[in-house]
Every structure is written in structure tokens, then in C-alpha cells.
Amino acid sequence: MSEREKIKNYKGKAVQKILRAFSFTVLLCAFTASATMMDFTATSLGGDTWRYDYSVTNDTLGVDIDEFTIYFDHNFYANLSTVADAPPGWDSIVIQPDPGLPDDGFYDSLALIAGIAPGETLSGFSVTVDYFGAGLPGAQFW
């Protein structure tokens, strides 16, 4: 095999590998698309304090949602607190943001009995926060 044929063969194999990797990435993205809808309402409690009320909808997963975590950016949020008991059968906690690390705070809720079944929505998840950003507080990563 000539040097030119070796180079052509090598380029062909490299292109095939790139196309396989791209195809795998596209498939992976399709399977990891958002499978849960998280709606919230932010209500001012005066000053910098806000209350977030969440509804979680299992709109595409084929299994129950038995836990979720909502993260609060350490640059904008402090003094996280659960407002009241979580919905019956759920246990919720908050971990404070730590700007010294830096590490975001979070609200985590765990199903103790049954999760949110496919096609169902569950409300009643609430947290209060102090918000120090500009404008109105918005959505968080979850």
C-alpha cells in the first residue's frame, strides 16, 4: 500500500470515528432531555426575603420521581429555610449557600413512601430565601 493510500485510509477511519461519536452524542442528548417540569411562584415577603412555591410534574419519565434538588447560587441567595412541612410522605431539607468555599445552597426533597408517578403533578414544596441579586428572583438549577 502506497503512502498516499495509507493517508487516505487513515482519514476515512478518522471521519468514521468522528461520525460515530457525533451520532452517539446526539442519541445521548435525546435520552437525557428534561424529563420533569418544575414550576414555581416567587412571592416577596418584604425586603430581600422571598418565598418560592414549587410544583413538580413527571411529564415524560417512565418511573416515579422520588427525589429532587433545587440549587440556589451562593452569589445571590442566603438564609434558606423550609416554609412548612413538605407534602405528606415527603421529607425536605435545606443546606445553606457557602460563599467561602464557594458552594451553592440547596433545597432537597425525598419521597418517604411513593414518588410522583408518570403524568402526575405534586405541589406544596416551599422555601424562603434572602435574594441579593438585581431585579426579581428567577428560576434555579434543579
Side-chain angles (χ1 to χ4, degrees):
M1 182 181 290
S2 72
E3 194 65 32
R4 177 176 239 156
E5 289 172 330
K6 288 180 185 178
I7 292 172
K8 187 176 179 181
N9 190 25
Y10 175 78
K11 286 182 180 178
K13 287 182 180 181
V15 169
Q16 286 178 348
K17 286 182 181 181
I18 292 169
L19 288 175
R20 277 191 216 129
F22 177 75
S23 298
F24 177 76
T25 303
V26 169
L27 285 173
L28 183 61
C29 289
F31 286 113
T32 60
S34 179
T36 303
M37 205 164 70
M38 180 83 62
D39 290 321
F40 74 92
T41 303
T43 305
S44 175
L45 299 179
D48 295 327
T49 305
W50 290 80
R51 175 181 171 145
Y52 279 93
D53 295 299
Y54 297 95
S55 294
V56 181
T57 301
N58 185 351
D59 59 351
T60 59
L61 284 178
V63 297
D64 291 359
I65 296 171
D66 59 4
E67 183 178 18
F68 64 89
T69 305
I70 302 168
Y71 297 92
F72 293 85
D73 188 319
H74 67 276
N75 292 305
F76 303 110
Y77 294 94
N79 301 321
L80 279 61
S81 176
T82 56
V83 174
D85 290 335
W90 286 77
D91 186 33
S92 298
I93 63 167
V94 293
I95 301 298
Q96 299 302 319
D98 189 343
L101 288 178
D103 200 13
D104 295 338
F106 61 86
Y107 170 86
D108 186 87
S109 202
L110 174 69
L112 300 175
I113 301 169
I116 304 168
E120 290 187 355
T121 299
L122 185 61
S123 300
F125 302 99
S126 299
V127 61
T128 59
V129 299
D130 288 345
Y131 174 69
F132 304 110
L136 300 174
Q140 303 78 38
F141 291 107
W142 51 272

